Amino acid sequence: MDNLRTLDAANVVSTSINRDGELIFYGIKTSMFERAFGNEDTVRRLNAFAVYRGNDKCTNLAMADPAHLKITNKNFLASPVTPLKPGLFYSVGIATLSKLFDVQADTRTRARQLCVAVSDVSWPRAMAVATSAFKAVEYINLSTFSHGVSFSTRLKPALDKENNIPSPGKAGYNVSVPILPWNAEVAVFDGRQKFTFAQYQNLPRRHEEIPVGSAVMVFFTLHTYQRGGTCLSLNLQHVVMLALPEASQRDEADMPPERIIMPGVKEPVAAAVLLELGSDDDVFAM
């Protein structure tokens, strides 16, 4: 992490319109693994995921250098390796809502969706990277729901003519469909045991909703569009479940103070965690 380029802090908000037609701004909720999980080894592992850089095929958005990221002609953030194609990125956090299965049985459901209280270790810099790459000058508006950032497929069209298609996650890293159809299969992998990042798509598959409170690694593409300002769309591709919910055994008085922001953003970092990472695969083989 020593060579992370310092970035300006991102002004990332969630907005809504009140009854008077006024634009209301809300902050983005993040999560702190130390407060959600009692096992120290689990916390250390999850924080290591939060600052792992990824590889040439999939990048941790928080660890990227926006100077190396291009924007495609359809306004997607491109891969650092293939600047003409939408890139695959990931972030980690705690699931607050899972609507990934049986969406066709629920007539109210318009997309597959995973809401995540994103990690306070990495998310501030992830948004600083996105803000810098997309050259957003004022603020970026994110979709939030159920106390988390929303990662989702495309919304269901008025006249549905789409068929189920497999998530590209099982086949590998290829982002063949940068925004999955509303009823596409979103691969969910079980990453609670040791694995290496390069082989995560070979993990066992889960075919049930992710329990609220689980730690997750969510893979997505991202693009911007204009609707009363710059809006950032986080397009769900697939998910690795890293840990099931776990009750913390600590008293509130013994809880660590909330961190301000991750190193690499021009903000106070008095309580930020600096992790000494091993080799790429060592981080995951725990």
Side-chain angles (χ1 to χ4, degrees):
M1 290 177 44
D2 292 340
N3 60 351
L4 280 183
R5 190 161 66 89
T6 300
L7 303 174
D8 291 329
N11 188 9
V12 181
V13 298
S14 179
T15 59
S16 66
I17 305 294
N18 66 14
R19 294 180 179 180
D20 297 325
E22 299 170 328
L23 189 63
I24 306 299
F25 292 81
Y26 301 92
I28 303 297
K29 177 180 174 61
T30 58
S31 61
M32 190 173 189
F33 293 131
E34 288 86 342
R35 289 178 170 266
F37 296 89
N39 184 285
E40 292 184 1
D41 288 339
T42 299
V43 171
R44 182 174 61 88
R45 182 174 187 255
L46 297 177
N47 279 331
F49 286 132
V51 296
Y52 178 73
R53 292 181 182 273
N55 57 26
D56 288 344
K57 298 177 181 179
C58 180
T59 304
N60 182 344
L61 185 60
M63 306 300 286
D65 186 340
H68 299 156
L69 300 176
K70 306 297 182 182
I71 308 300
T72 72
N73 59 2
K74 293 188 177 181
N75 230 34
F76 281 86
L77 193 61
S79 162
V81 179
T82 54
L84 298 180
K85 297 181 179 180
L88 183 64
F89 299 89
Y90 87 83
S91 289
V92 299
I94 296 175
T96 63
L97 176 75
S98 177
K99 293 288 185 181
L100 302 176
F101 299 94
D102 299 327
V103 295
Q104 296 187 83
D106 187 348
T107 57
R108 298 168 300 176
T109 301
R110 300 182 60 203
R112 298 190 192 266
Q113 181 183 35
L114 181 69
C115 295
V116 179
V118 284
S119 167
D120 68 330
V121 173
S122 56
W123 191 250
R125 192 175 193 279
M127 290 297 93
V129 169
T131 300
S132 178
F134 284 111
K135 297 179 172 55
V137 294
E138 295 184 1
Y139 64 88
I140 278 185
N141 186 14
L142 275 180
S143 176
T144 60
F145 187 68
S146 191
H147 306 291
V149 172
S150 175
F151 298 82
S152 71
T153 60
R154 190 185 298 276
L155 290 178
K156 182 179 181 180
L159 296 176
D160 176 34
K161 296 182 179 180
E162 299 176 359
N163 298 316
N164 279 11
I165 64 171
S167 164
K170 191 60 180 177
Y173 295 99
N174 181 36
V175 184
S176 57
V177 184
I179 307 180
L180 297 178
W182 75 276
N183 57 355
E185 176 190 0
V186 175
V188 179
F189 303 100
D190 189 340
R192 290 175 292 167
Q193 304 300 320
K194 295 179 181 180
F195 69 96
T196 58
F197 186 79
Q199 299 296 323
Y200 77 82
Q201 70 272 21
N202 294 327
L203 288 169
R205 291 280 292 271
R206 287 177 57 91
H207 299 282
E208 56 186 350
E209 299 295 353
I210 296 172
V212 170
S214 299
V216 294
M217 176 185 295
V218 55
F219 294 79
F220 57 95
T221 65
L222 62 162
H223 75 283
T224 58
Y225 60 95
Q226 297 298 316
R227 183 178 295 170
T230 301
C231 298
L232 183 64
S233 178
L234 303 173
N235 311 304
L236 180 63
Q237 292 287 311
H238 42 275
V239 185
V240 176
M241 189 182 75
L242 300 174
L244 286 170
E246 176 184 307
S248 176
Q249 304 301 316
R250 302 181 185 182
D251 294 331
E252 182 63 30
D254 296 330
M255 290 288 188
E258 293 187 4
R259 286 188 286 271
I260 304 300
I261 211 156
M262 179 182 171
V265 182
K266 292 178 180 177
E267 287 278 60
V269 294
V273 168
L274 297 175
L275 297 174
E276 295 293 334
L277 300 184
S279 69
D280 289 351
D281 287 347
D282 286 344
V283 176
F284 288 79
M286 293 189 292

